[in-house]
Amino acid sequence: MLDLKAFQKITYGVYLVSSRCGDILSGCVVNTLTQVTTSPAQVTIAINKQNYTTEIIRKSGRFTAVVLSQSAMMELIGRFGFHCSRDTEKFESFRTRVDESGVPFVCEQASARFSCKVVSSMDAGTHIIFLGEVEAAEVLDSTGPMSYAYYHQIKNGITPPRASVYQPEPAKGYRCRICGYVLDSDTVPDDFVCPICGRGKEHLEKITG
């Protein structure tokens, strides 16, 4: 027996992971950031192999993880979680800083940041798990961190298809082909704008079956 609902009882957070290789900047949303040791200070992250950020981390050997606060706006999560860094400048609309190794990170709507050097990685099927040694860390805001439950229940957020905890669910209405947002309605207004990725009605498809 494998009850997938059991996995929903595991506690997760919402994090922005960024990296840099030369002039190439990349970032994405992940929900798995875990401290594994204190001395040395080490954390792990899990990122889908298809994410462009995974490629940049592999090339640079570095990443910076930011813990999003409960005040984080859906615009920020939508930009980093449902767009690709290959064709989207994700950082330009938000207040950012550069860490000690030149990696940019979003410093607003965030509780803390961890700048890491990759010391090892593991192939986990659809994802790569990176073990990073924390070289710098700081508290950015006193606001509490956003949990995945808060993101879903309070922010009404959805899970990106490439997330490690993604589970497809039956739905009706219209689905955004870009981010997976479901509009539970029989009709779509002409001025519809997806609340997650900001795209228009032309990117919706009717859900059948």
Side-chain angles (χ1 to χ4, degrees), residues 156-189:
N156 295 317
I158 62 174
T159 302
R162 292 183 181 178
S164 57
V165 297
Y166 176 71
Q167 295 180 16
E169 298 181 357
K172 62 178 181 178
Y174 293 83
R175 178 185 292 109
C176 177
R177 291 192 298 269
I178 304 300
C179 70
Y181 171 78
V182 173
L183 174 66
D184 187 5
S185 174
D186 294 328
T187 60
V188 182

Side-chain angles (χ1 to χ4, degrees), residues 5-12 148 165:
K5 291 183 178 180
F7 291 92
Q8 298 174 2
K9 302 300 182 181
I10 300 175
T11 301
Y12 303 95
Y148 216 55
V165 297

Side-chain angles (χ1 to χ4, degrees), residues 16-207:
L16 293 188
V17 171
S18 57
S19 189
R20 178 176 193 162
C21 185
D23 294 330
I24 300 176
L25 311 180
S26 186
C28 67
V29 173
V30 304
N31 64 346
T32 48
L33 169 69
T34 306
Q35 179 182 357
V36 290
T37 59
T38 300
S39 182
Q42 296 182 118
V43 297
T44 58
I45 58 172
I47 305 185
N48 193 291
K49 290 179 180 178
Q50 298 181 46
N51 282 4
Y52 188 47
T53 302
T54 304
E55 178 182 334
I56 302 305
I57 293 175
R58 279 173 157 169
K59 290 180 178 179
S60 67
R62 307 200 65 86
F63 67 86
T64 295
V66 169
V67 181
L68 290 185
S69 68
Q70 292 179 357
S71 63
M73 299 175 62
M74 294 303 289
E75 178 186 2
L76 173 63
I77 298 173
R79 173 68 66 88
F80 279 84
F82 296 95
H83 294 265
C84 180
S85 295
R86 291 182 186 273
D87 49 34
T88 302
E89 172 47 68
K90 296 185 177 183
F91 297 89
E92 64 181 4
S93 300
F94 307 100
R95 185 160 53 89
T96 62
R97 285 170 43 197
V98 176
D99 72 7
E100 295 79 357
S101 298
V103 177
F105 64 93
V106 175
C107 57
E108 62 173 313
Q109 307 171 47
S111 297
R113 66 100 177 180
F114 302 88
S115 294
C116 307
K117 175 182 67 177
V118 175
V119 294
S120 67
S121 63
M122 183 180 76
D123 190 316
T126 58
H127 287 62
I128 297 293
I129 298 175
F130 291 104
L131 173 65
E133 181 177 343
V134 180
E135 297 185 330
E138 66 175 314
V139 174
L140 299 173
D141 193 321
S142 59
T143 306
M146 183 185 297
S147 68
Y148 216 55
Y150 188 94
Y151 167 68
H152 279 284
Q153 297 168 11
I154 307 300
K155 296 285 190 177
N156 295 317
I158 62 174
T159 302
R162 292 183 181 178
S164 57
V165 297
Y166 176 71
Q167 295 180 16
E169 298 181 357
K172 62 178 181 178
Y174 293 83
R175 178 185 292 109
C176 177
R177 291 192 298 269
I178 304 300
C179 70
Y181 171 78
V182 173
L183 174 66
D184 187 5
S185 174
D186 294 328
T187 60
V188 182
D190 291 337
D191 60 351
F192 171 82
V193 175
C194 178
I196 302 297
C197 69
R199 304 299 177 90
K201 65 176 295 184
E202 67 273 13
H203 294 284
L204 293 180
E205 60 182 0
K206 180 73 173 178
I207 299 173

